[in-house]
Amino acid sequence: MSAIAINRTTFFCRTPVAKKVVMAVTGVILFGYLIGHLAGNLLIYSGNPAAINRYAELLHASPPMLWTARIVLLVAVILHIIAAAQLWLLKRRARPVGYCRKEETGSNYASRTMIWSGPIIALFVIFHVLHLTAGKIVPLAMAGHEPDVYHSVIDGFRVPMISAFYILAMVLLCLHLYHGLWSMFQSVGVSHPRYTPLLKRFAATFAFILAIGFISIPVSVMIGIIR
Amino acid sequence: MELDAKIPSGPIEDRWDNHKFNLKLVNPANKRKYNIIVVGTGLAGGSAAASLAELGYNVKSFCYQDSPRRAHSIAAQGGINAAKNYKNDGDSVYRLFYDTVKGGDFRSRESNVYRLAQVSVNIIDQCVAQGVPFAREYGGLLDNRSFGGAQVSRTFYARGQTGQQLLLGAYQALQRQVSAGQVKMYPRHEMLDLVVIDGRARGITVRDLFTGEVASHAADAVVLATGGYGNAYYLSTNARGCNATAVWRAYKKGALFANPCYTQIHPTCIPVSGEYQSKLTLMSESLRNDGRIWVPAKIGDKRRPAQIPEAERDYYLERKYPAFGNLVPRDVASRNAKSVCDEGRGVGPSGLGVYLDFAEAMQRLGHHVIAERYGNLFEMYERITGEDPYSVPMRIYPATHYTMGGLWVDYNLMSTIPGLYVAGEANFSDHGANRLGASALMQGLADGYFVLPYTIGDFLASHRPDQLGVDHPAFKEAEQGVNARTRQLLGIQGKRTIDSFHRELGKILWEHCGMSRTEQGLKDALGMIPELREEFWKDVRVPGENEEFNQNLERAGRVADFFELGELICRDALERSESCGGHFREEYQTPEGEALRNDDEYSYVAAWQYQGDSAPPALVKEHLDFEYVHPSQRSYK
Amino acid sequence: MKLTLHIWRQANSTAPGRMVKYEVDDVSEHMSFLEMLDVLNEKLTLKGEDPIAFDSDCREGICGTCGFMVNGVAHGPLPKTTVCQLHMRHFKDGDVLYLEPWRTRAFPVIKDLAVDRSALDRIVAAGGFVSIDTGAAPDANAIPVPKERAEISMDAAACIGCGACAAMCPNGSASLFTGAKITHLGVLPQGQPERNERALRMVAQATEEGLSYCSNHGECEAVCPKGITLEVIARMNRHYIKAEWVDRGQPAE
């Protein structure tokens, strides 16, 4: 069958399997970022406002490093979104006449809501950057000439709507991560009858811990543990 | 008419090789100038179409199903025989040949059977190379199991889905040729007539089941691999759509129909549960390897099986046939089941059933071994009956399964119409009066992979390719005939459904020409069938139109043909005043109730020749010679 | 028992369809689902109405011809069971059932509950085979195959090509079908020489047919009558990735 040549470049772009690999690889990058981000955020519990501020300064210490990281993340996000959008278009075309009745037998809430949790999280990310990086939502607190992250966070989360949106986004993130975390293995071809069920449990636990970690911050601010 | 079977001479083990050498060849460059039509995509048709295309012929392949992968070969469960002797238990080509001739109750052609046994080994090689996932042992080599009618383990299997896996192998080979452009596939097309020009098969007329369009296709040779006619009995293990229309059209165009009364009643099927039943489901015969068949010893014992103590059970096969026990050939097992039920010892609500019990095997081998061997069959049984065979014995009863009869063919698998070849269950060739388990798959693939590709070449080599077009008047005539018949069926608009007629025909055949037959019963059937057929043509209601997807119209045409074929089955059964294999005439039995052959008078193939609708068919005999396996009373004791 | 059926009626592939309500009485619990429809069809025929078209053939769950949605589940509520093997004892008196054809762009409706699944044949034609001509095979025992491999292959080869996976998939994807064939051949030594090409071509053809992509919902494995699992899709992805990026078009090792 190799008698007929395949144009490999168009091939790649056209197959959804490849697009799913893009989703998986960019997903891993974003997941790695989330772990780092949460680890940094948790410094807020250190009791010393300077700890998290120093961490922020450290991140900003080398502009080339900072921008490299930002560009990598941005590219990952964009590719993740493009692939998702392309796949969503494929899906929309796949079933022109819908079912009058359709049950869900194997899927779960997380897998079915990926297409909604994704865009909402994306919107949240924009909001989040505007809020705590650019200071366009609530003015950033300043410590001298440097932004005071600690107090900016507290100022922000004291606004109930901001906290509520944050918490909602993190709940969705938890669902998105649960499905994404085990699904990425499947997409790159890793599956095993014994380990895949374990992987699913691990994904659920990890997504839950991550979400709890993030959500704890606005909750702590609102109930006054962090002040 | 004289039948020339073209059997080669010489020692039987050299006949096929010598014959192959003597067959004329078509130059590789010329093969593409020939068109071959293959009707049916089961093991025989699928493998023939793929192999002929590989050789370079242009092949058109037709099937009524929506995909070639769905042909009913797919439902074969147990396995495929081959004389590999991988088990070192004394098997050989000669033994497989011997067992098959004996199993067929000395009513098959020795040379054909020997060839079948010879190529059986190539089939396994071919299938493994295609990626058929046969069962294997821990060392990675192929596993074998034993099967009814044989004392060696020569059956290769793929769980309980051997037919499926072999068919997928042939289907994949076929799809490969479709993608290479060598095969043009016509799924959802039903052959409704054979076109014969100057005494030679030159094409077919088909109805596109999707659009209703009737069209013709011309070719240099036509292969029919359209399966058996068990559905004449309405209830059978065949698929809903299995039909005899293609072979019946060929019969009416001059091909002789051989041994129609040889129908195989399979012993291990799930009993009938009600009038609405549309088919019977077979439980693989391989179950008899570990399952023990029994009925209560007392008549009318209605206790649950677990409450019947060992001493009050009658393991009648083990009792009557100590050497073969539960592994006696199918005809013997079926007839014995019928006789214990006739005595009033049958089990289940209808009293038409016997137990197939795995309790002892599970104790001996463990639950897991039984689950591994038969798990999917047990699941299937439970789905249908709602009973769990791990804890309650299965109930089984015989059902129409396979038809050994079919269009008469010579050693080259060519019918009496030059250029018309018939392969697989559709021909009559290899199984005599009874087919052994795991031999149908073997025969279908032998015909398609290893016989037809040679023998068709011989025919084509002496006929120049002439690129005949379908504008020849014979094609128009065939199309007009098909359209007229369709109009007639649609025009009746009577008061009875197609199925009600088919059910009634089935009952007549089952009662009078089923597991046991009598002269009077057959005469009665020969009176009833034409009456019912007449009523059908007056009172059937076929809804819908021709120019649409009309499943009822398809069915009506098939049932109409079953009426005529059913009559021929009974006529043949009446004519054969002896018992042999699947044909058991109550008048002819030994004192122990075994089939009593009459070799002096009936050692022949009964081939029937159509003489027009108003005249009875003519009987043409092909005498059978047994040079190697001498006819004896079959004994499985 | 008595049932109410809402059945999708569509005269042909271009006509608009709609759900039509039927009442059926005297349903026996021993009937199969299709036999229940046979009985309804006989009644419709005698009333002069058009019987309901649905595909079926072997009626023992192996040919893959039958299949439609029963109350929004492919092949109905019983796991690992085709609709021809689904018996009425799993329903109760008064049940209301919705029957709809497989719905994906790749399977256009022919009539009522019957659809055209030739897309699946084309996927197999794209590469779902071993290129071996008749007669060229070595002895069957020349290449041992570890039992475990043969079992994995057989698990996947059990696919009956019914199309339930695509019908049930939220994305309308037949990845379970394609993955099953790629796995069946791809884990056997006989399937190795063409493993890369097979994965590339079959995936490309499935895409071409509009049988979309897998996002790991698992709806397909829940309704697969042969119990084929998502593992075959992972294997398809693995073979594809290896063919595309690791071996870069060279034959597999």
Side-chain angles (χ1 to χ4, degrees):
Chain A
M1 60 182 146
S2 47
I4 310 158
I6 301 173
N7 183 334
R8 268 167 214 291
T9 36
T10 54
F11 215 116
F12 165 82
C13 299
R14 278 199 304 195
T15 70
V17 173
K19 294 187 210 299
K20 287 297 289 185
V21 172
V22 171
M23 301 272 313
V25 171
T26 52
V28 170
I29 295 171
L30 297 173
F31 175 62
Y33 166 74
L34 281 177
I35 294 174
H37 189 39
L38 177 63
N41 284 3
L42 291 179
L43 287 172
I44 207 161
Y45 290 110
S46 70
N48 178 4
I52 192 165
N53 287 349
R54 266 206 307 278
Y55 166 69
E57 269 170 46
L58 190 73
L59 289 181
H60 290 81
S62 160
M65 288 268 284
L66 175 71
W67 281 101
T68 308
R70 279 178 174 170
I71 287 166
V72 167
L73 286 174
L74 194 65
V75 169
V77 167
I78 290 170
L79 288 179
H80 201 78
I81 291 172
I82 290 175
Q86 286 180 329
L87 291 172
W88 181 70
L89 286 173
L90 273 181
K91 170 185 168 146
R92 268 176 45 116
R93 285 172 49 218
R95 183 164 291 138
V97 182
Y99 288 111
C100 305
R101 271 283 195 104
K102 178 75 166 42
E103 294 293 315
E104 272 90 26
T105 49
S107 60
N108 55 49
Y109 191 75
S111 74
R112 287 194 301 273
T113 50
M114 291 301 270
I115 199 63
W116 298 113
S117 55
I120 295 172
I121 292 165
L123 283 179
F124 167 76
V125 169
I126 295 169
F127 175 85
H128 193 58
V129 169
L130 289 176
H131 171 205
L132 286 172
T133 308
K136 301 288 182 196
I137 310 291
V138 180
L140 294 179
M142 300 297 281
H145 292 297
E146 293 296 319
D148 180 348
V149 176
Y150 186 86
H151 288 102
S152 298
V153 167
I154 292 174
D155 289 351
F157 286 146
R158 281 196 175 141
V159 182
M161 287 305 289
I162 292 180
S163 280
F165 186 32
Y166 187 95
I167 292 169
L168 171 76
M170 289 308 111
V171 169
L172 293 177
L173 182 69
C174 171
L175 290 171
H176 201 84
L177 278 180
Y178 161 60
H179 184 71
L181 268 180
W182 82 265
S183 179
M184 62 173 70
F185 284 87
Q186 181 79 11
S187 296
V188 297
V190 180
S191 174
H192 190 282
R194 200 159 36 209
Y195 302 123
T196 299
L198 293 179
L199 179 65
K200 279 191 188 180
R201 223 172 304 155
F202 167 79
T205 316
F206 216 95
F208 187 70
I209 291 173
L210 215 62
I212 289 291
F214 280 117
I215 290 171
S216 71
I217 298 171
V219 171
S220 302
V221 170
M222 282 189 292
I223 62 177
I225 295 176
I226 304 174
R227 58 180 80 216
Chain B
M1 177 178 200
E2 279 289 303
L3 289 173
D4 177 8
K6 302 203 176 70
I7 297 167
S9 54
I12 198 160
E13 53 277 9
D14 298 333
R15 282 180 194 170
W16 176 231
D17 286 339
N18 291 341
H19 187 69
K20 274 196 287 188
F21 182 74
N22 292 327
L23 291 172
K24 287 192 278 294
L25 298 174
V26 178
N27 178 310
N30 284 340
K31 287 200 175 95
R32 62 188 163 78
K33 296 177 188 160
Y34 288 99
N35 299 309
I36 301 175
I37 283 171
V38 181
V39 187
T41 58
L43 287 181
S47 60
S51 302
L52 290 165
E54 285 162 10
L55 288 172
Y57 297 111
N58 293 309
V59 177
K60 285 183 177 179
S61 170
F62 296 82
C63 65
Y64 74 79
Q65 296 91 344
D66 74 326
S67 160
R69 67 178 291 154
R70 309 210 193 279
H72 198 55
S73 304
I74 204 154
Q77 298 169 354
I80 175 166
N81 287 332
K84 280 285 196 185
N85 194 28
Y86 282 156
K87 287 286 172 186
N88 194 31
D89 59 357
D91 198 12
S92 62
V93 167
Y94 197 88
R95 187 176 296 281
L96 175 54
F97 155 70
Y98 177 89
D99 286 347
T100 307
V101 172
K102 179 186 169 199
D105 218 358
F106 307 95
R107 289 293 174 266
S108 49
R109 220 185 258 152
E110 277 191 331
S111 303
N112 282 56
V113 178
Y114 196 89
R115 173 178 66 191
L116 177 66
Q118 268 178 312
V119 301
S120 69
V121 297
N122 305 100
I123 294 171
I124 303 301
D125 298 343
Q126 184 64 29
C127 294
V128 166
Q130 286 171 342
V132 170
F134 282 119
R136 287 178 185 267
E137 293 171 339
Y138 281 102
L141 302 181
L142 292 161
D143 192 17
N144 290 125
R145 57 162 67 141
S146 52
F147 233 79
Q151 285 174 311
V152 292
S153 290
R154 62 159 78 96
T155 304
F156 294 79
Y157 65 101
R159 294 198 190 141
Q161 290 128 281
T162 317
Q164 180 199 26
Q165 293 311 313
L166 296 175
L167 183 65
L168 291 181
Y171 160 73
Q172 285 162 203
L174 183 63
Q175 291 304 103
R176 173 173 165 241
Q177 295 306 316
V178 168
S179 117
Q182 280 300 113
V183 174
K184 174 100 177 72
M185 192 65 229
Y186 294 87
R188 285 200 202 268
H189 277 70
E190 182 159 31
M191 168 177 159
L192 292 177
D193 210 352
L194 176 75
V195 179
V196 179
I197 300 174
D198 300 331
R200 182 182 155 200
R202 291 313 306 267
I204 60 172
T205 300
V206 294
R207 180 170 176 269
D208 179 337
L209 302 182
F210 185 18
T211 62
E213 191 193 344
V214 172
S216 295
H217 297 264
D220 297 286
V222 175
V223 178
L224 300 187
T226 51
Y229 48 87
N231 264 356
Y233 288 78
Y234 186 67
L235 284 183
S236 83
T237 63
N238 285 5
R240 194 75 173 142
C242 289
N243 66 83
T245 290
V247 290
W248 198 249
R249 304 285 118 205
Y251 166 74
K252 290 189 130 182
K253 285 288 169 86
L256 267 55
F257 206 114
N259 298 337
C261 79
Y262 292 164
T263 51
Q264 180 167 75
I265 314 292
H266 195 288
T268 51
C269 300
I270 299 177
V272 179
S273 66
E275 181 71 16
Y276 46 79
Q277 190 130 4
S278 60
K279 81 153 278 150
L280 293 172
T281 304
L282 179 143
M283 294 277 98
S284 168
E285 186 174 16
S286 63
L287 292 169
R288 288 200 274 145
N289 275 321
D290 289 307
R292 299 179 70 197
I293 293 173
W294 64 276
V295 288
K298 273 196 307 230
I299 288 171
D301 189 342
K302 289 288 165 210
R303 285 177 291 176
R304 272 178 302 166
Q307 293 168 330
I308 302 178
E310 235 8 73
E312 294 173 45
R313 299 175 176 192
D314 179 13
Y315 295 89
Y316 56 92
L317 289 178
E318 297 172 22
R319 174 171 58 80
K320 290 171 74 176
Y321 308 96
F324 279 69
N326 293 300
L327 289 176
V328 290
R330 291 177 174 174
D331 54 335
V332 179
S334 292
R335 235 174 2 253
N336 277 282
K338 180 181 189 312
S339 69
V340 293
C341 292
D342 288 350
E343 286 167 25
R345 295 194 286 148
V347 300
S350 62
L352 294 175
V354 299
Y355 290 125
L356 179 61
D357 198 338
F358 288 86
E360 187 263 345
M362 270 193 291
Q363 224 163 41
R364 179 164 45 89
L365 301 164
H367 184 283
H368 68 284
V369 175
I370 296 298
E372 194 191 337
R373 283 187 193 165
Y374 311 111
N376 62 329
L377 297 173
F378 278 30
E379 279 170 29
M380 186 161 156
Y381 181 85
E382 185 170 2
R383 268 199 294 276
I384 293 170
T385 62
E387 290 175 358
D388 171 23
Y390 289 105
S391 50
V392 186
M394 283 185 177
R395 279 180 297 114
I396 53 165
Y397 197 66
T400 304
H401 177 51
Y402 186 90
T403 51
M404 282 72 69
L407 291 182
W408 184 90
V409 289
D410 62 15
Y411 188 69
N412 294 319
L413 303 185
M414 190 162 84
S415 69
T416 47
I417 301 175
L420 177 69
Y421 288 79
V422 190
E425 191 179 351
N427 74 25
F428 89 105
S429 72
D430 295 351
H431 306 295
N434 174 51
R435 179 176 65 75
L436 290 181
S439 284
L441 304 184
M442 172 172 70
Q443 184 226 338
L445 290 179
D447 289 358
Y449 283 135
F450 296 109
V451 180
L452 282 176
Y454 293 93
T455 57
I456 286 187
D458 179 61
F459 174 82
L460 294 176
S462 45
H463 293 83
R464 292 193 162 282
D466 57 5
Q467 302 299 332
L468 177 76
V470 290
D471 40 8
H472 189 285
F475 289 102
K476 298 297 144 214
E477 201 184 310
E479 287 166 23
Q480 279 159 11
V482 166
N483 284 324
R485 191 175 144 97
T486 303
R487 273 196 303 275
Q488 194 184 350
L489 282 168
L490 289 169
I492 302 166
Q493 289 302 318
K495 289 187 286 296
R496 282 185 65 180
T497 61
I498 303 157
D499 278 359
S500 80
F501 279 106
H502 194 180
R503 263 194 292 269
E504 199 174 331
L505 171 70
K507 273 187 193 141
I508 296 173
L509 284 173
W510 179 246
E511 259 160 51
H512 299 93
C513 200
M515 271 186 283
S516 72
R517 301 144 183 201
T518 62
E519 184 180 346
Q520 191 52 50
L522 291 165
K523 282 182 175 159
D524 291 347
L526 284 170
M528 286 186 269
I529 296 171
E531 268 175 37
L532 187 63
R533 183 178 66 223
E534 231 165 87
E535 198 191 333
F536 173 87
W537 283 102
K538 275 193 209 126
D539 202 24
V540 73
R541 184 181 202 101
V542 186
E545 309 287 330
N546 176 50
E547 287 74 24
E548 61 171 351
F549 183 64
N550 187 341
Q551 295 171 312
N552 290 283
L553 178 60
E554 298 167 23
R555 206 140 55 219
R558 295 166 190 165
V559 173
D561 288 334
F562 283 139
F563 277 113
E564 299 176 16
L565 174 59
E567 206 179 325
L568 188 68
I569 295 173
C570 294
R571 190 178 295 280
D572 185 47
L574 180 63
E575 191 275 335
R576 190 168 283 279
S577 298
E578 64 159 352
S579 294
C580 58
H583 170 64
F584 188 79
R585 283 280 296 269
E586 288 180 18
E587 304 93 323
Y588 309 100
Q589 49 181 310
T590 64
E592 298 95 45
E594 303 296 335
L596 186 62
R597 283 197 325 271
N598 179 349
D599 292 328
D600 294 338
E601 291 179 68
Y602 289 96
S603 188
Y604 60 73
V605 175
W608 296 90
Q609 187 177 24
Y610 179 66
Q611 304 281 346
D613 281 331
S614 46
L619 173 63
V620 185
K621 297 175 184 175
E622 179 204 339
H623 186 75
L624 292 169
D625 286 314
F626 292 90
E627 298 171 63
Y628 293 87
V629 187
H630 296 293
S632 57
Q633 162 81 39
R634 280 192 310 166
S635 171
Y636 292 96
K637 295 188 189 281
Chain C
M1 68 179 102
K2 202 169 139 72
L3 298 172
T4 305
L5 304 177
H6 294 267
I7 302 177
W8 181 262
R9 300 304 306 264
Q10 181 174 341
N12 56 55
S13 46
T14 50
R18 66 197 176 92
M19 297 299 277
V20 177
K21 185 172 161 187
Y22 298 93
E23 304 283 348
V24 279
D25 322 321
D26 304 332
V27 176
S28 152
E29 56 164 15
H30 295 298
M31 283 178 173
S32 74
F33 204 95
L34 300 187
E35 285 165 352
M36 184 268 293
L37 290 181
D38 288 342
V39 171
L40 171 62
N41 271 347
E42 291 213 66
K43 286 190 185 145
L44 291 179
T45 304
L46 293 178
K47 276 204 287 187
E49 292 178 36
D50 193 23
I52 299 141
F54 61 91
D55 272 323
S56 80
D57 206 22
C58 77
R59 297 209 172 182
E60 47 187 278
I62 192 74
C63 73
T65 309
C66 70
F68 45 78
M69 307 293 280
V70 181
N71 278 353
V73 180
H75 288 301
L78 208 63
K80 292 193 190 174
T81 305
T82 54
V83 72
C84 68
Q85 293 271 285
L86 175 64
H87 280 65
M88 298 314 292
R89 70 179 72 91
H90 301 289
F91 298 92
K92 55 183 194 304
D93 190 48
D95 275 357
V96 181
L97 305 177
Y98 288 78
L99 313 187
E100 293 178 75
W102 290 165
R103 293 198 191 282
T104 125
R105 188 166 59 102
F107 298 164
V109 172
I110 292 175
K111 187 180 178 185
D112 301 340
L113 302 176
V115 299
D116 175 2
R117 285 165 293 194
S118 51
L120 301 181
D121 288 325
R122 290 189 291 274
I123 293 175
V124 174
F129 47 77
V130 173
S131 295
I132 169 119
D133 284 354
T134 303
D139 183 82
N141 261 348
I143 307 169
V145 180
K147 189 177 167 72
E148 297 76 10
R149 293 249 118 191
E151 295 291 327
I152 294 172
S153 175
M154 183 62 215
D155 284 341
C159 170
I160 57 175
C162 65
C165 47
M168 199 64 189
C169 176
N171 311 338
S173 163
S175 290
L176 199 71
F177 170 85
T178 313
K181 186 51 63 194
I182 286 175
T183 301
H184 160 208
L185 298 173
V187 301
L188 293 174
Q190 289 81 4
Q192 294 314 302
E194 296 168 291
R195 197 185 70 198
N196 283 348
E197 284 293 305
R198 181 181 306 118
L200 294 175
R201 290 182 162 277
M202 290 184 75
V203 168
Q205 188 65 36
T207 309
E208 180 83 26
E209 299 290 349
L211 285 162
S212 199
Y213 66 99
C214 174
S215 51
N216 312 313
H217 286 288
E219 292 280 344
C220 54
E221 71 174 0
V223 297
C224 175
K226 294 294 141 182
I228 294 169
T229 66
L230 289 185
E231 220 181 311
V232 301
I233 301 181
R235 200 177 292 268
M236 168 178 83
N237 293 342
R238 186 150 83 237
H239 286 190
Y240 180 86
I241 290 165
K242 181 124 193 309
E244 187 64 63
W245 289 304
V246 182
D247 296 338
R248 300 199 57 81
Q250 298 306 308
E253 283 176 26

